[in-house]
Amino acid sequence: MSTFNLNINNKKYTVEAIAEMPLLWVLRDLLDLTGTKYGCGVASCGACTVMIDGKAVFSCQRNVGTCVNKNITTIEGLSEDGSHPVQKAWQQAGVPQCGYCQPGQMMAAAALLAKNKNPSDRLRRVRVMTATRSLLM
């Protein structure tokens, strides 16, 4: 076991884990940040999407040892009160799904908007659908 200092949602955390432990399990099991979901474990569904240094990544495939000195944002870190534009858009649209994969989809959308403040409708649909189905940009 090693000790890792992590910056998650603008807070400092220290965890003891093996370097190869997926970030997903560090978030959920060691830090009780359960908004990030386990879906498939093979980077196909996007339910585990978080942002690392502003880029959407699958936390099920990112080892904690590679996350030191990075800024990690989970769904809990978008905003504490649901005021992030992506969270507001989800509420306004009344997104009609069970909600399990919504955190990953919101994180993919937030990463896109952080990179491109005014994407076209087509780009938004393609990027978010792609991010939550197979590959992240």
Side-chain angles (χ1 to χ4, degrees):
M1 290 256 213
S2 299
T3 301
F4 299 98
N5 295 311
L6 304 172
N7 180 9
I8 303 169
N9 302 329
N10 296 313
K11 295 178 185 170
K12 303 289 184 190
Y13 293 90
T14 300
V15 296
E16 287 193 22
I18 59 170
E20 296 79 19
M21 184 177 204
L23 177 60
L24 173 65
W25 300 124
V26 170
L27 295 171
R28 291 184 60 78
D29 294 347
L30 302 183
L31 299 176
D32 201 32
L33 294 170
T34 58
T36 304
K37 305 300 184 195
Y38 173 79
C40 65
V42 294
S44 288
C45 72
C48 67
T49 303
V50 299
M51 287 191 290
I52 298 180
D53 291 337
K55 183 178 178 186
V57 299
F58 294 123
S59 63
C60 73
Q61 298 298 304
R62 183 61 63 102
N63 294 338
V64 69
T66 68
C67 297
V68 175
N69 298 322
K70 308 281 184 187
N71 292 312
I72 302 164
T73 306
T74 68
I75 190 69
E76 292 94 341
L78 280 183
S79 73
E80 292 185 14
D81 62 358
S83 63
H84 187 279
V86 171
Q87 292 169 313
K88 285 182 174 182
W90 247 251
Q91 291 169 349
Q92 187 176 38
V95 178
Q97 295 185 15
C98 73
Y100 192 82
C101 62
Q102 295 306 304
Q105 291 178 352
M106 283 190 230
M107 295 307 294
L112 169 63
L113 291 173
K115 214 173 176 182
N116 182 342
K117 298 286 184 211
N118 194 20
S120 67
D121 285 342
R122 183 177 184 282
L123 180 61
R124 283 192 302 258
R125 283 192 298 272
V126 169
R127 291 279 173 100
V128 173
M129 297 276 295
T130 301
T132 56
R133 287 197 180 145
S134 60
L135 302 172
L136 292 173
M137 310 307 152

